[in-house]
Amino acid sequence: MNNFTFHNPTRLLFGKGMIEKLSTAIPMVHRIMITFGGGSVKQNGVYDQVIKALKDRDYIEFWGIEANPSVETLREAIALGKERKVDFLLAVGGGSVIDGTKLIAAGLLYDGDAWDIVLKGQAGKTVPLATVLTMSATGSEMNSGAVISRYEAKEKYAFYGDYPVFSILDPETLYSLPQRQIACGLSDTFVHVLEQYMTTPG
């Protein structure tokens, strides 16, 4: 095995009940946008935990980031975030919600169309973001990469932004997932690790 030095700037908060740490992990000065997918977080209790932790904070919610997040949806989030002067993002969900939020983070500080950022492959300045992970799979909660789709042209590309400032990993958020989804997540994790190991030069 090759020698290596590893540094990951994302701070991980792991364990039962760690979602309550949101109350102190995000500085009070920020206007927050919380991003979500389709609504499963309201069924498994994660939403209630997040809102309780942020009860005294200035935040808005954006729902509907789909699997294989689309730039069409993310444009709406960016427009809302600019209108409300959002300066911190909290992605609550799995890899797709987190990937989409990475583009929102870049788009909030960009004057052009968000798809330009994807085509460049690299974001410039970004708004800080954090995550509450609800499904283990892609590793998006602790890397800088994201994959975004453009449905109108049937395109899908990767781009790189900033790492999340911190990510909360409470294993109990996975308890409500169907066995098939757990299996898919395990397979996804395995393939992503092998992909990085087998395709990185050197």
Side-chain angles (χ1 to χ4, degrees):
M1 187 171 185
N2 294 332
N3 294 352
F4 67 89
T5 299
F6 178 76
H7 168 73
N8 192 317
T10 301
R11 183 163 54 102
L12 298 182
L13 286 69
F14 180 90
K16 178 180 178 179
M18 292 298 277
I19 293 175
E20 68 182 22
K21 298 293 185 183
L22 284 171
S23 61
T24 55
I26 302 175
M28 290 291 292
V29 295
H30 288 300
R31 291 189 182 95
I32 306 163
M33 175 186 280
I34 312 172
T35 57
F36 300 98
S40 62
V41 293
K42 285 195 171 180
Q43 299 165 14
N44 62 18
V46 172
Y47 175 81
D48 290 339
Q49 292 180 65
V50 169
I51 298 308
K52 181 180 178 182
L54 297 176
K55 62 181 180 180
D56 298 321
R57 311 301 290 276
D58 183 4
Y59 70 85
I60 59 171
E61 301 176 14
F62 182 85
W63 290 84
I65 298 177
E66 60 275 85
N68 300 305
S70 72
V71 70
E72 291 88 348
T73 297
L74 302 174
R75 285 171 179 148
E76 297 176 20
I78 291 166
L80 176 62
K82 286 181 176 180
E83 177 188 334
R84 299 292 291 271
K85 296 182 170 53
V86 166
D87 60 5
F88 196 98
L89 294 163
L90 178 65
V92 180
S96 292
V97 173
I98 298 170
D99 278 11
T101 305
K102 288 175 182 174
L103 185 60
I104 298 168
L108 287 175
L109 300 180
Y110 183 70
D111 289 333
D113 180 44
W115 190 244
D116 297 341
I117 300 168
V118 179
L119 293 179
K120 288 176 187 175
Q122 184 71 49
K125 292 181 179 179
T126 67
V127 165
L129 70 103
T131 85
V132 175
L133 185 68
T134 60
M135 179 179 174
S136 301
T138 66
S140 191
E141 72 279 0
M142 56 183 296
N143 67 39
S144 61
V147 178
I148 307 297
S149 298
R150 184 183 176 205
Y151 290 169
E152 58 200 11
K154 297 183 179 178
E155 296 175 298
K156 184 176 181 179
Y157 297 109
F159 86 99
Y160 293 87
D162 279 342
Y163 285 74
V165 177
F166 67 86
S167 288
I168 293 177
L169 287 65
D170 181 344
E172 290 195 351
T173 64
L174 279 63
Y175 286 3
S176 63
L177 293 175
Q179 287 189 348
R180 173 175 164 72
Q181 206 160 3
I182 293 288
C184 290
L186 288 169
S187 300
D188 209 9
T189 301
F190 180 72
V191 169
H192 276 80
V193 170
L194 282 186
E195 178 185 38
Q196 297 300 316
Y197 186 73
M198 301 296 289
T199 64
T200 301

